[in-house]
Structures are given as structure tokens and as C-alpha cells.
Coordinates of all heavy atoms in Angstrom, one line a residue:
V179 N -40.0 -20.5 39.4 CA -40.8 -21.5 38.7 C -41.0 -22.8 39.6 O -40.0 -23.5 39.8 CB -40.1 -22.0 37.4 CG1 -40.9 -23.0 36.6 CG2 -39.9 -20.7 36.5
V180 N -42.2 -22.9 40.1 CA -42.4 -24.1 41.0 C -42.4 -25.3 40.2 O -43.1 -25.4 39.1 CB -43.8 -23.9 41.7 CG1 -44.1 -25.1 42.6 CG2 -43.8 -22.6 42.6
G181 N -41.7 -26.3 40.6 CA -41.6 -27.6 39.9 C -40.6 -27.6 38.8 O -40.5 -28.6 38.1
S182 N -39.8 -26.6 38.6 CA -38.8 -26.5 37.6 C -37.7 -27.5 37.8 O -37.3 -27.8 38.9 CB -38.2 -25.1 37.5 OG -37.1 -25.1 36.6
T183 N -37.3 -28.2 36.7 CA -36.1 -29.1 36.8 C -34.9 -28.4 36.2 O -33.8 -29.0 36.3 CB -36.5 -30.4 36.1 OG1 -36.7 -30.1 34.7 CG2 -37.7 -31.1 36.7
L184 N -35.0 -27.3 35.6 CA -33.9 -26.6 35.1 C -33.4 -25.5 36.1 O -34.1 -25.0 36.9 CB -34.2 -25.9 33.7 CG -34.5 -26.9 32.6 CD1 -35.0 -26.1 31.4 CD2 -33.3 -27.7 32.3
P185 N -32.1 -25.2 36.0 CA -31.5 -24.2 37.0 C -32.1 -22.8 36.7 O -32.7 -22.5 35.6 CB -30.0 -24.2 36.7 CG -29.8 -25.4 35.9 CD -31.1 -25.7 35.1
P186 N -32.0 -21.9 37.7 CA -32.4 -20.5 37.5 C -31.5 -19.9 36.4 O -30.4 -20.4 36.1 CB -32.2 -19.9 38.9 CG -31.2 -20.8 39.6 CD -31.5 -22.2 39.1
P187 N -31.9 -18.7 35.9 CA -31.1 -18.1 34.9 C -29.7 -17.7 35.4 O -29.6 -17.4 36.5 CB -31.9 -16.9 34.5 CG -33.3 -17.2 34.9 CD -33.2 -18.1 36.1
S188 N -28.8 -17.8 34.5 CA -27.4 -17.3 34.7 C -27.1 -16.2 33.8 O -27.3 -16.2 32.6 CB -26.4 -18.5 34.5 OG -25.1 -18.0 34.6
V189 N -26.6 -15.1 34.4 CA -26.3 -13.9 33.7 C -24.8 -13.6 33.8 O -24.2 -13.6 34.9 CB -27.0 -12.6 34.3 CG1 -26.7 -11.4 33.5 CG2 -28.5 -12.9 34.3
T190 N -24.1 -13.5 32.6 CA -22.7 -13.3 32.6 C -22.3 -12.2 31.7 O -23.1 -11.9 30.7 CB -22.0 -14.6 32.1 OG1 -22.6 -15.0 30.8 CG2 -22.1 -15.7 33.1
R191 N -21.2 -11.5 31.9 CA -20.7 -10.4 31.1 C -19.5 -10.8 30.4 O -18.6 -11.5 30.9 CB -20.5 -9.2 32.0 CG -21.7 -8.7 32.8 CD -22.6 -7.8 31.9 NE -23.9 -7.6 32.6 CZ -24.1 -6.7 33.6 NH1 -23.1 -6.0 34.1 NH2 -25.3 -6.6 34.1
H192 N -19.4 -10.4 29.1 CA -18.3 -10.8 28.3 C -17.8 -9.7 27.4 O -18.5 -8.7 27.1 CB -18.7 -12.0 27.4 CG -19.3 -13.1 28.1 ND1 -18.6 -14.2 28.5 CD2 -20.6 -13.3 28.5 CE1 -19.5 -15.1 29.1 NE2 -20.7 -14.5 29.1
T193 N -16.5 -9.8 27.0 CA -15.9 -8.9 25.9 C -15.2 -9.8 24.9 O -14.6 -10.8 25.3 CB -14.9 -8.0 26.6 OG1 -15.5 -7.2 27.5 CG2 -14.3 -7.1 25.5
I194 N -15.5 -9.5 23.6 CA -14.9 -10.3 22.6 C -14.2 -9.4 21.6 O -14.8 -8.3 21.2 CB -15.9 -11.2 21.9 CG1 -15.3 -12.2 21.0 CG2 -17.0 -10.4 21.1 CD1 -16.2 -13.3 20.5
D195 N -13.0 -9.7 21.2 CA -12.2 -8.9 20.2 C -12.4 -9.4 18.8 O -12.1 -10.6 18.6 CB -10.7 -8.9 20.6 CG -10.5 -8.2 22.0 OD1 -11.2 -7.1 22.2 OD2 -9.6 -8.6 22.7
L196 N -12.8 -8.6 17.9 CA -13.1 -8.9 16.6 C -12.3 -8.0 15.6 O -11.8 -6.9 16.1 CB -14.6 -8.9 16.3 CG -15.5 -9.8 17.1 CD1 -17.0 -9.4 16.9 CD2 -15.2 -11.2 16.8
P197 N -12.2 -8.3 14.4 CA -11.4 -7.4 13.5 C -12.0 -6.0 13.4 O -13.2 -5.8 13.1 CB -11.6 -8.1 12.1 CG -11.8 -9.6 12.4 CD -12.6 -9.6 13.7
G198 N -11.3 -5.0 13.9 CA -11.7 -3.6 13.8 C -12.6 -3.2 14.9 O -13.1 -2.0 14.9
R199 N -12.9 -4.1 15.9 CA -13.9 -3.7 16.9 C -13.8 -4.7 18.1 O -13.4 -5.8 17.9 CB -15.3 -3.6 16.4 CG -15.9 -5.0 16.1 CD -16.8 -5.0 14.9 NE -17.6 -6.1 14.8 CZ -17.4 -7.2 14.0 NH1 -16.2 -7.3 13.4 NH2 -18.2 -8.2 13.9
S200 N -14.3 -4.2 19.3 CA -14.5 -5.1 20.4 C -16.0 -4.9 20.8 O -16.5 -3.8 20.8 CB -13.6 -4.7 21.6 OG -12.2 -5.0 21.3
L201 N -16.6 -6.0 21.2 CA -18.0 -6.0 21.6 C -18.0 -6.4 23.1 O -17.5 -7.5 23.5 CB -18.8 -7.0 20.8 CG -18.9 -6.7 19.3 CD1 -19.8 -7.8 18.6 CD2 -19.4 -5.3 19.0
R202 N -18.8 -5.7 23.9 CA -19.1 -6.0 25.3 C -20.6 -6.4 25.3 O -21.4 -5.6 24.8 CB -18.8 -4.9 26.2 CG -17.3 -4.5 26.3 CD -17.0 -3.7 27.5 NE -17.9 -2.5 27.6 CZ -18.1 -1.8 28.7 NH1 -17.4 -2.1 29.8 NH2 -18.9 -0.7 28.7
Y203 N -20.8 -7.5 25.9 CA -22.2 -8.0 25.9 C -22.6 -8.7 27.1 O -21.7 -9.2 27.9 CB -22.5 -8.8 24.6 CG -21.7 -10.1 24.5 CD1 -22.1 -11.3 25.0 CD2 -20.4 -10.1 23.9 CE1 -21.4 -12.5 24.9 CE2 -19.7 -11.2 23.8 CZ -20.2 -12.4 24.3 OH -19.4 -13.6 24.2
T204 N -23.9 -8.8 27.4 CA -24.4 -9.6 28.5 C -25.1 -10.8 27.9 O -25.9 -10.7 27.0 CB -25.4 -8.8 29.3 OG1 -24.8 -7.6 29.9 CG2 -26.1 -9.6 30.4
A205 N -24.8 -12.0 28.5 CA -25.4 -13.2 28.1 C -26.3 -13.8 29.2 O -25.9 -13.7 30.4 CB -24.3 -14.3 27.7
T206 N -27.4 -14.3 28.8 CA -28.3 -14.9 29.8 C -28.7 -16.3 29.3 O -29.2 -16.4 28.1 CB -29.6 -14.1 30.0 OG1 -29.2 -12.8 30.4 CG2 -30.5 -14.8 31.1
A207 N -28.5 -17.3 30.1 CA -29.0 -18.7 29.8 C -30.0 -19.0 30.8 O -29.8 -18.9 32.0 CB -27.8 -19.7 29.8
G208 N -31.2 -19.5 30.4 CA -32.2 -19.8 31.3 C -33.4 -20.5 30.6 O -33.2 -21.1 29.5
A209 N -34.5 -20.5 31.2 CA -35.7 -21.1 30.6 C -37.0 -20.4 31.0 O -37.0 -19.8 32.1 CB -35.8 -22.6 31.0
L210 N -38.0 -20.5 30.2 CA -39.3 -20.0 30.5 C -40.3 -21.2 30.6 O -40.1 -22.1 29.8 CB -39.8 -19.0 29.5 CG -39.1 -17.6 29.4 CD1 -39.8 -16.8 28.3 CD2 -39.2 -16.9 30.7
P211 N -41.2 -21.1 31.5 CA -42.1 -22.2 31.7 C -43.3 -22.2 30.7 O -43.7 -21.2 30.3 CB -42.7 -22.0 33.1 CG -42.6 -20.6 33.3 CD -41.4 -20.1 32.6
V212 N -43.8 -23.4 30.4 CA -45.0 -23.6 29.6 C -46.0 -24.1 30.6 O -45.8 -25.2 31.1 CB -44.8 -24.5 28.4 CG1 -46.1 -24.7 27.6 CG2 -43.6 -24.1 27.5
R213 N -47.1 -23.4 30.7 CA -48.2 -23.8 31.7 C -49.5 -23.9 31.0 O -49.8 -23.2 30.0 CB -48.3 -22.8 32.8 CG -47.0 -22.7 33.7 CD -47.3 -21.8 34.9 NE -46.0 -21.6 35.6 CZ -45.5 -22.4 36.5 NH1 -46.2 -23.6 36.8 NH2 -44.4 -22.1 37.2
D214 N -50.4 -24.6 31.5 CA -51.8 -24.6 31.1 C -52.5 -23.5 31.9 O -52.0 -22.8 32.7 CB -52.5 -26.0 31.2 CG -52.6 -26.5 32.6 OD1 -52.4 -25.7 33.6 OD2 -52.9 -27.7 32.8
Q215 N -53.8 -23.4 31.6 CA -54.6 -22.3 32.2 C -54.8 -22.4 33.7 O -55.0 -21.5 34.4 CB -56.0 -22.1 31.5 CG -55.9 -21.6 30.1 CD -57.2 -21.4 29.5 OE1 -58.1 -22.2 29.7 NE2 -57.4 -20.4 28.7
S216 N -54.6 -23.6 34.2 CA -54.7 -23.9 35.6 C -53.4 -23.6 36.4 O -53.3 -23.6 37.6 CB -55.1 -25.3 35.9 OG -54.1 -26.2 35.6
G217 N -52.3 -23.3 35.6 CA -51.0 -23.0 36.2 C -50.1 -24.2 36.3 O -49.0 -24.1 36.8
R218 N -50.6 -25.4 35.8 CA -49.8 -26.6 35.9 C -48.6 -26.5 34.9 O -48.8 -26.1 33.7 CB -50.7 -27.8 35.5 CG -50.0 -29.2 35.6 CD -51.0 -30.3 35.3 NE -51.6 -30.2 34.1 CZ -51.5 -31.1 33.1 NH1 -50.8 -32.2 33.3 NH2 -52.2 -31.0 32.0
L219 N -47.4 -26.8 35.4 CA -46.2 -26.8 34.6 C -46.3 -27.9 33.6 O -46.3 -29.1 34.0 CB -45.0 -26.9 35.4 CG -43.7 -26.8 34.7 CD1 -43.5 -25.4 34.0 CD2 -42.5 -27.1 35.6
L220 N -46.2 -27.6 32.3 CA -46.2 -28.6 31.2 C -44.8 -28.9 30.7 O -44.4 -30.0 30.4 CB -47.1 -28.2 30.1 CG -48.5 -27.9 30.4 CD1 -49.2 -27.4 29.2 CD2 -49.2 -29.1 31.0
A221 N -44.0 -27.8 30.6 CA -42.7 -28.0 30.0 C -41.9 -26.7 30.3 O -42.4 -25.7 30.8 CB -42.8 -28.2 28.5
E222 N -40.6 -26.7 29.9 CA -39.7 -25.6 30.0 C -39.0 -25.4 28.7 O -38.4 -26.4 28.2 CB -38.7 -25.7 31.2 CG -39.4 -25.8 32.6 CD -38.4 -26.1 33.6 OE1 -38.1 -27.3 33.9 OE2 -37.9 -25.2 34.3
I223 N -38.9 -24.2 28.2 CA -38.3 -23.9 27.0 C -37.0 -23.1 27.3 O -37.0 -22.0 27.9 CB -39.1 -23.0 26.0 CG1 -40.3 -23.9 25.6 CG2 -38.3 -22.5 24.8 CD1 -41.3 -23.1 24.6
A224 N -35.8 -23.7 27.0 CA -34.5 -23.1 27.3 C -34.2 -22.1 26.2 O -34.6 -22.2 25.0 CB -33.5 -24.2 27.4
Y225 N -33.4 -21.1 26.6 CA -32.9 -20.1 25.6 C -31.6 -19.6 26.1 O -31.1 -19.7 27.2 CB -33.9 -19.0 25.6 CG -34.0 -18.2 26.9 CD1 -33.2 -17.0 27.1 CD2 -34.9 -18.6 27.9 CE1 -33.2 -16.4 28.3 CE2 -34.9 -17.9 29.1 CZ -34.1 -16.8 29.3 OH -34.1 -16.1 30.5
V226 N -30.9 -18.9 25.1 CA -29.7 -18.1 25.4 C -29.9 -16.8 24.7 O -30.2 -16.7 23.5 CB -28.4 -18.8 24.9 CG1 -27.2 -17.9 25.1 CG2 -28.2 -20.2 25.6

């Protein structure tokens, strides 16, 4: 993302123990850019 002010995505792996089960999962924290039709960066929407 040219002009981005947020870091690149981070991918992490986790295991969590819950009653009667364990869950293994992949977490991703990052952002997607919002652009106009000319490609100009308007904003970034963060997500997990």
C-alpha cells in the first residue's frame, strides 16, 4: 500500500483451551486501503 501509515499485516498462530475443547486458530491484524478511482489513497480500514 503506497502511502500507508499503518504497518503491514501481522499473522500469528494461537491455541486456546476452553471447556471440553481446544481451538487452534490463525489471527491476522492489518488494514485494507480505501482509494478513489484514480488510485489516490483516501483512508485505511483496520481489521482483525
